[in-house]
Amino acid sequence: MAVNDTRAGSKRARTDDTSADGDEDQGPVIKFRNYKPLGEDLGSNTVPEPEIPSIEEEVEKRLASTTVELPGDAGVDLLNLAPRKIDWDLKRAIAPKLEKLDRRTQRAIAEIILARVEAEEE
């Protein structure tokens, strides 16, 4: 209990010291940042609106200072550029097998035609 009394006494001592000096703090100063008060007596506490720089001017400055020309891309029309189809990798992986199958199919068709020609000759 004695500890609490000393803490309370020290707070009182600090407040007594400030009042003895004559510097009385009237509390926090109210600053209105997002609110515009209706009364004229509170109008002096408003924060002035900050000056916002124009974005258009900044963009024009940056565009004027940066000009990028890519070598070798003069013939590419970006409007007609299309992404690859979804199954392009599957077609690439299956292409050798399809070529092999196509050769076998052509050979089989040729054998069938030869067989018909031989059958007609007999």
Side-chain angles (χ1 to χ4, degrees):
M1 284 191 208
V3 174
N4 291 336
D5 291 337
T6 58
R7 286 184 186 166
S10 64
K11 286 182 182 177
R12 276 188 227 127
R14 275 188 260 146
T15 56
D16 291 340
D17 291 340
T18 57
S19 63
D21 293 339
D23 297 330
E24 293 184 15
D25 191 20
Q26 295 180 359
V29 177
I30 298 174
K31 296 284 183 179
F32 296 111
R33 291 182 177 88
N34 297 328
Y35 175 73
K36 294 183 180 178
L38 299 176
E40 293 179 14
D41 56 338
L42 295 177
S44 63
N45 292 340
T46 58
V47 176
E49 293 184 17
E51 183 177 324
I52 300 172
S54 176
I55 295 174
E56 290 83 10
E57 294 174 3
E58 182 68 28
V59 170
E60 288 175 5
K61 286 180 188 176
R62 288 190 183 188
L63 286 177
S65 66
T66 57
T67 56
V68 178
E69 294 181 18
L70 300 176
D73 288 341
V76 177
D77 186 15
L78 296 178
L79 297 175
N80 294 331
L81 188 64
R84 291 186 176 185
K85 292 186 179 179
I86 296 172
D87 60 348
W88 71 272
D89 58 336
L90 296 175
K91 289 181 181 179
R92 183 193 63 203
I94 295 175
K97 295 177 183 177
L98 286 176
E99 289 175 6
K100 189 179 200 181
L101 182 63
D102 190 37
R103 285 192 303 254
R104 287 184 181 177
T105 305
Q106 294 297 326
R107 189 177 307 147
I109 291 172
E111 288 176 5
I112 292 172
I113 292 174
L114 285 175
R116 283 186 187 172
V117 169
E118 290 177 359
E120 288 177 6
E121 290 176 358
E122 290 179 5

